[in-house]
Amino acid sequence: MKFSLLATCLFALSSVAVVVRGDQLQDEIDAAKKKFCGGIAVSAPTQGQSFADPSKVQVTVTRKPNAQAKVVSGVDVYSIASNGKPTYVATAWKGNYALNTKATLTVNLSKVKGLKYPGQFEFRVWVHNKAGPDCTLMSKVFRVAKSGHSNDAATEGSESELNTDIDRGCFGVELLAPALGKHEKANTPFSVQVQRDSSSHLENIESLALYSVDLTSRQPQEVQTSWSGNETVHQMFNVKDTIKQASAQNSAYFYKLTGTTVHGESCDFYSHPFYVDA
């Protein structure tokens, strides 16, 4: 018994050490990012900017000069589906463009295979530091209205059908658990798992609210605030929650996650409906 208790304590201490070390590592990463990537930004395309010609999409990178010499070395393109799922498509531009205070590049998306128009896209811009790690910057979401060819099979629908929340940067975040239709137990803690894609603009999580919904009327009602704060999210975010009341007949629960993007936009994301049994 003494041995097992000692082993348990040592395991708990080692787990704490791993968590602390993980936090320290993230602090070191954030400090290096501030040193080598601070003062640079993608100022264009602007939010929701629409381009009629995919061969003439311009991206602008600005910089507040410091001791770190920088070169724009690549531009990747992401396509964002109507459900908010981002997909890396290809590197649309490669080169070495010296970044002093401002660099404007023309990216020819017509040469990138697999893009559908009209569509919503974002750029990931690579900035190389001659004496340090590379920086990656995400542009705001922009639109390409058409392919430039009236008979192009890749042209589908109209630009008016595109999602304005995606324009604002509200995409790339998914509440993985509880899963769709999952049954949890009342008065028993369970995990709410949030996953953020690296291309998402969401920076801080501010609240997680629990709702019940009548499955006939579809009318939601807030039950409780399960978590609140101001937490920077990188890839995963987990909250332990407990629900006291079982789901009423013909009703379910769901979560609403609220946060803020790097551009100051407020976004809401929703879980799948799930059930709580007595």
Side-chain angles (χ1 to χ4, degrees), residues 178-186 188-190 215 243 246-248 251-253 272-278:
L180 174 64
K182 179 74 180 296
H183 286 257
E184 301 288 356
K185 285 285 188 181
T188 302
F190 61 91
L215 297 179
I243 300 176
S247 308
S251 70
Y253 287 107
H272 293 294
F274 65 96
Y275 305 96
V276 174
D277 302 328

Coordinates of all heavy atoms in Angstrom, one line a residue, residues 178-186 188-190 215 243 246-248 251-253 272-278:
P178 N -18.8 16.7 -26.6 CA -19.5 15.4 -26.9 C -19.8 15.3 -28.4 O -20.1 16.3 -29.1 CB -20.8 15.5 -26.1 CG -20.5 16.6 -25.1 CD -19.6 17.6 -25.7
A179 N -19.7 14.1 -28.9 CA -20.0 13.8 -30.3 C -21.5 13.8 -30.6 O -22.3 13.8 -29.6 CB -19.4 12.4 -30.6
L180 N -21.8 13.9 -31.8 CA -23.2 13.9 -32.3 C -24.0 12.7 -31.7 O -23.6 11.5 -31.9 CB -23.3 13.9 -33.8 CG -24.6 13.7 -34.4 CD1 -25.5 15.0 -34.1 CD2 -24.5 13.6 -35.9
G181 N -25.0 13.0 -30.9 CA -25.9 11.9 -30.4 C -25.3 11.2 -29.2 O -25.9 10.2 -28.7
K182 N -24.2 11.7 -28.6 CA -23.6 11.0 -27.5 C -24.5 11.1 -26.3 O -25.2 12.1 -26.1 CB -22.2 11.7 -27.2 CG -21.5 11.1 -26.0 CD -20.8 9.8 -26.3 CE -20.1 9.2 -25.1 NZ -18.9 10.0 -24.7
H183 N -24.4 10.1 -25.4 CA -25.2 10.1 -24.2 C -24.2 10.2 -23.0 O -23.4 9.3 -22.8 CB -26.0 8.8 -24.1 CG -27.2 8.7 -25.0 ND1 -28.5 8.9 -24.5 CD2 -27.3 8.5 -26.3 CE1 -29.3 8.9 -25.5 NE2 -28.6 8.6 -26.6
E184 N -24.4 11.3 -22.2 CA -23.6 11.4 -21.0 C -24.5 11.2 -19.8 O -25.7 11.1 -19.9 CB -23.0 12.9 -21.0 CG -22.2 13.3 -22.1 CD -20.8 12.6 -22.1 OE1 -20.5 11.9 -21.2 OE2 -20.1 12.8 -23.1
K185 N -23.8 11.0 -18.7 CA -24.5 10.8 -17.4 C -24.7 12.0 -16.6 O -23.8 12.8 -16.5 CB -23.8 9.7 -16.6 CG -23.9 8.3 -17.1 CD -25.3 7.7 -16.8 CE -25.3 6.2 -17.1 NZ -26.7 5.7 -16.9
A186 N -25.9 12.2 -16.1 CA -26.1 13.4 -15.2 C -25.3 13.3 -14.0 O -25.0 12.2 -13.4 CB -27.6 13.5 -14.8
T188 N -22.2 13.6 -13.6 CA -20.9 12.9 -13.8 C -20.1 13.8 -14.7 O -20.5 14.1 -15.9 CB -21.1 11.5 -14.5 OG1 -22.0 10.7 -13.6 CG2 -19.8 10.8 -14.7
P189 N -18.9 14.2 -14.3 CA -18.0 15.0 -15.2 C -17.7 14.4 -16.5 O -17.4 13.1 -16.5 CB -16.8 15.2 -14.3 CG -17.2 15.0 -12.9 CD -18.2 13.9 -13.0
F190 N -17.6 15.2 -17.5 CA -17.2 14.7 -18.9 C -16.4 15.8 -19.6 O -16.5 17.0 -19.1 CB -18.4 14.2 -19.7 CG -19.4 15.3 -20.0 CD1 -19.3 16.1 -21.1 CD2 -20.4 15.5 -19.1 CE1 -20.3 17.1 -21.4 CE2 -21.4 16.5 -19.3 CZ -21.3 17.3 -20.5
L215 N -36.5 19.6 -29.7 CA -36.2 19.1 -31.0 C -37.4 19.2 -32.0 O -37.2 19.1 -33.2 CB -35.9 17.6 -30.9 CG -34.6 17.3 -30.2 CD1 -34.3 15.8 -30.1 CD2 -33.4 18.0 -30.8
I243 N -23.4 18.2 -15.9 CA -24.8 18.6 -16.1 C -25.7 17.9 -15.1 O -25.7 16.7 -15.0 CB -25.3 18.3 -17.5 CG1 -24.4 19.1 -18.5 CG2 -26.7 18.7 -17.7 CD1 -24.7 18.8 -20.0
A246 N -31.0 15.6 -16.4 CA -31.1 14.7 -17.6 C -31.9 15.5 -18.7 O -32.7 16.4 -18.4 CB -31.8 13.4 -17.3
S247 N -31.7 15.1 -20.0 CA -32.4 15.7 -21.1 C -33.9 15.4 -20.9 O -34.3 14.3 -20.6 CB -31.9 15.1 -22.4 OG -30.5 15.2 -22.5
A248 N -34.7 16.5 -21.1 CA -36.1 16.3 -21.1 C -36.6 15.5 -22.4 O -35.8 15.4 -23.3 CB -36.8 17.7 -21.1
S251 N -35.8 16.4 -26.3 CA -34.9 17.6 -26.2 C -33.5 17.1 -26.2 O -33.2 15.9 -25.9 CB -35.2 18.5 -25.0 OG -34.9 17.8 -23.8
A252 N -32.6 18.0 -26.4 CA -31.1 17.7 -26.4 C -30.4 18.9 -25.8 O -30.9 19.9 -25.7 CB -30.6 17.3 -27.8
Y253 N -29.1 18.7 -25.6 CA -28.2 19.8 -25.2 C -27.2 20.1 -26.3 O -26.9 19.2 -27.2 CB -27.4 19.4 -24.0 CG -28.2 19.3 -22.7 CD1 -28.6 18.1 -22.1 CD2 -28.6 20.5 -22.0 CE1 -29.3 18.1 -20.9 CE2 -29.3 20.5 -20.8 CZ -29.6 19.3 -20.3 OH -30.3 19.3 -19.1
H272 N -22.3 19.6 -31.7 CA -23.4 18.8 -32.1 C -24.4 18.6 -30.9 O -24.0 18.7 -29.8 CB -22.9 17.4 -32.6 CG -22.1 17.5 -33.9 ND1 -22.7 17.9 -35.1 CD2 -20.8 17.2 -34.1 CE1 -21.7 17.9 -36.0 NE2 -20.6 17.4 -35.5
P273 N -25.7 18.3 -31.2 CA -26.6 18.0 -30.1 C -26.2 16.6 -29.4 O -25.7 15.7 -30.1 CB -27.9 17.9 -30.7 CG -27.7 17.7 -32.2 CD -26.4 18.3 -32.5
F274 N -26.4 16.6 -28.1 CA -26.1 15.3 -27.4 C -27.1 15.2 -26.3 O -28.0 16.1 -26.0 CB -24.7 15.3 -26.8 CG -24.4 16.4 -25.8 CD1 -24.5 16.1 -24.4 CD2 -24.1 17.7 -26.2 CE1 -24.3 17.1 -23.5 CE2 -23.9 18.7 -25.2 CZ -23.9 18.4 -23.9
Y275 N -27.1 14.1 -25.6 CA -28.1 13.8 -24.6 C -27.5 13.5 -23.2 O -26.3 13.1 -23.1 CB -29.0 12.6 -25.0 CG -29.6 12.7 -26.4 CD1 -28.9 12.2 -27.5 CD2 -30.7 13.4 -26.5 CE1 -29.5 12.4 -28.8 CE2 -31.3 13.6 -27.8 CZ -30.6 13.1 -28.9 OH -31.2 13.3 -30.2
V276 N -28.3 13.7 -22.2 CA -27.8 13.4 -20.8 C -28.9 12.5 -20.2 O -30.0 12.9 -20.1 CB -27.6 14.7 -20.0 CG1 -27.3 14.4 -18.5 CG2 -26.5 15.6 -20.6
D277 N -28.4 11.4 -19.7 CA -29.3 10.4 -19.1 C -29.2 10.5 -17.6 O -28.2 10.9 -17.0 CB -28.9 9.0 -19.5 CG -28.9 8.8 -21.0 OD1 -29.8 9.4 -21.7 OD2 -28.1 8.0 -21.5
A278 N -30.3 10.1 -16.9 CA -30.4 10.2 -15.5 C -29.5 9.1 -14.9 O -29.2 8.1 -15.5 CB -31.8 10.0 -15.1

